[in-house]
Amino acid sequence: MRIISSVAAPNIALIKYWGKRDDLLKLPINDSISITLDEKALASTTTIVLGSKLKRDTFILNGHAGPDAHITEALLLIRRRLGKRHHIIRKPILLISDNNFPTAAGIASSASGFAALAEAVASALGIRNRREISILARLGSGSASRSAFGGYVRWKMGKRKDGEDSFAVQVSPRSRWPQLADVIAISSAERKKVSSKSGMERTLKTSELCHCRQEHVQRAVEKVAGAIRRKDFRSLAYLTMRDSNAMHATMLDSWPPIIYMNDTSRAVVEAVHQYNEKAGSLRAAYTFDAGPNAHVITTRKEAGKIARMLKGIRGVRKVIVSGVGEGSKTIPTPQKTKQLIARILHK
Amino acid sequence: MRIISSVAAPNIALIKYWGKRDDLLKLPINDSISITLDEKALASTTTIVLGSKLKRDTFILNGHAGPDAHITEALLLIRRRLGKRHHIIRKPILLISDNNFPTAAGIASSASGFAALAEAVASALGIRNRREISILARLGSGSASRSAFGGYVRWKMGKRKDGEDSFAVQVSPRSRWPQLADVIAISSAERKKVSSKSGMERTLKTSELCHCRQEHVQRAVEKVAGAIRRKDFRSLAYLTMRDSNAMHATMLDSWPPIIYMNDTSRAVVEAVHQYNEKAGSLRAAYTFDAGPNAHVITTRKEAGKIARMLKGIRGVRKVIVSGVGEGSKTIPTPQKTKQLIARILHK
């Protein structure tokens, strides 16, 4: 029996992923680029047990036992990929996973969750190739492929039908530019009305402007990668805000329209523009995933000031500050989890 | 001395005008198509006095005397166009104008205002050609060109540099399809933060998605014109909602982004989608100009139900129902205005 625990943090995309060319394999229609967050601020902690005598896959997510279609699909794909060489993974698995932040509220809990799962599975099977871990994470959730690496990460869309060239690579390690921070303003912990999966399908199918964004977005990825290498915060900030706005524009242009940003999001947009104007240069950049919560990318030096500013905005319930993280990794299994496993297996 | 009064209603664009190829002459980058509203519901009433002994142009807008740069510019252009043949218009003018609805809140007060001015000027000079009246209105505000006609109106962008082929034409008179109504949900009577003029300049200059919309919008105009001729409400409704969303998408994609829709606007969007879903077909269509107020295009039969629905939405302060109007026209000068003129001229 193998028991492996791992931890992974979400990542915040500067150039976004919104649209798949293959739904099952989660192959995107463009490259994307992100900052992996710090697992000390935001994390999914996952433990898997392989080779137990359980009769069926058992999931305990945030303390609740129950089925989960998303994880079932991921395991199916992982088994299809690895089951021939690693028989142990074909047997029922026990998976225990906890997030320290609200699920499905525009903070990518699926990114950290599936990166942690991929990390644990790979480690249990002795797989050390990080490219392979990124692909395993991608099979669960596209953006999870980026959380397999720390620092500044680019997910290459690839061209192959089987997705073997669609994985993340590190643009720059955390150590080269550790000064950035993500100040997250949570205005809603509700589950979103339109899931990312069905939202991106809808945009790709119905938005004419979406295809227009595609023409520009690859160039934007190159520019952001260059800005990261040069440690050019102003370019990074500008391109980040523009791509967030462009993505939400294509969402609004979808049919029926998808509108994730609310009045609190708009107030953050205005506050950041004012902040930068007062500073006389771009010192902060907002970006929104598939939800109303704002991520404000800035430097650690300014993070406190930005956090105070965001706390003063009507509708902001909580502010979380995260630095740049190191990517997913294995950890010793927590004592509490060991006890939980013992209780489940000896029932 | 000539005293002429006129009345004009705003119009609501189904396919929108957002972007000029000539700022001074108000020449647009695409055709647009609209319904002229009923002056009994929403109107600008304008009286002009030509040939008085006033020393300078005098404006009294909604009861307040004062200068107005927008009207000054329009008069400059109108005089340049007509001054040679009609000397009387070169002399100081007295202009009295009143709206029966809030100014600059996403209801096109400039459209009705400048259409009324054009109507009054043309009538005072004996000009009866409605194409000419449309051009005169356009010199004040682009969308005003459409309020010179009643019913369903298309403003042709034209190709000429001097704008002589950029005027409105009637697609269908009110009498052919009098059943439509516009139910307006007013959620804010504040002046907007970004004026239409500077907003459309910004979008044209900075939004990449804007140029993408341009490729599709001419086709949409043709389709809406066809839907009007066939009295095909469902096509009209679909195309109207899509173009409103597409225009607001290009606004969001501008730099800095322009966001006119608020949480109340979003709630109207959702309510209309639900209403149509429940009805099993498109019976209502939202559309938003440069502001948060919703226009819901529907039939007179459904207008009462839609009005009740909108009144139940949080943030909606007032609901106005308008039928289809007949376009700008001259009217007898109101007694109160005559008295005001007498007081001003004999001071």
Side-chain angles (χ1 to χ4, degrees), chain A residues 27 31 42 54 64 74 81 111 113 115 124 157 171 223 235 265 281 283 296 338-339 346:
Chain A
L27 302 176
D31 287 22
L42 293 158
L54 282 173
H64 299 284
R81 185 174 180 83
M157 62 175 288
V171 175
K223 282 185 197 162
S235 296
S265 320
S281 72
R283 303 242 178 120
V296 180
K338 281 185 183 165
Q339 290 162 3
H346 298 110

Side-chain angles (χ1 to χ4, degrees), chain A residues 66-85:
Chain A
D68 184 292
H70 202 162
I71 297 177
T72 302
E73 183 185 306
L75 283 177
L76 182 87
L77 294 166
I78 290 172
R79 282 171 171 139
R80 199 171 76 170
R81 185 174 180 83
L82 301 175
K84 270 193 191 151
R85 258 187 299 154

Side-chain angles (χ1 to χ4, degrees), chain A residues 193 206-213 216 219 237-238 241-242 244-246 248-250 252-257 259-264 266 269-270 273 277 282 286 314, chain B residues 193 206-213 216 219 237-238 241-242 244-246 248-250 252-257 259-264 266 269-270 273 277 282 286 314:
Chain A
K193 285 179 195 161
T206 63
S207 168
E208 285 160 344
L209 302 186
C210 165
H211 303 284
C212 186
R213 174 174 170 251
H216 304 286
R219 231 175 309 147
Y238 172 75
M241 291 187 272
R242 297 266 353 210
S244 175
N245 292 336
H248 285 271
T250 68
L252 176 58
D253 184 53
S254 305
W255 186 256
I259 310 178
Y260 288 121
M261 290 168 75
N262 62 20
D263 280 357
T264 303
R266 293 172 60 200
V269 167
E270 269 185 40
H273 279 286
E277 211 155 287
L282 298 185
Y286 53 80
R314 194 181 157 156
Chain B
K193 285 179 196 162
T206 63
S207 168
E208 285 160 344
L209 302 185
C210 165
H211 302 285
C212 186
R213 174 174 170 250
H216 304 285
R219 233 176 307 148
Y238 172 75
M241 290 186 273
R242 296 266 356 211
S244 175
N245 292 337
H248 285 272
T250 67
L252 176 57
D253 184 53
S254 306
W255 187 256
I259 310 178
Y260 288 122
M261 291 169 74
N262 62 19
D263 280 357
T264 303
R266 294 172 60 199
V269 167
E270 270 186 37
H273 279 285
E277 213 156 285
L282 298 184
Y286 55 79
R314 194 181 156 156

Side-chain angles (χ1 to χ4, degrees), chain A residues 21-22 25 27 157-166:
Chain A
R21 61 186 168 92
D22 185 306
L25 296 178
L27 302 176
M157 62 175 288
K159 287 183 174 173
R160 289 175 56 160
K161 274 200 164 174
D162 62 5
E164 289 304 303
D165 56 353
S166 183

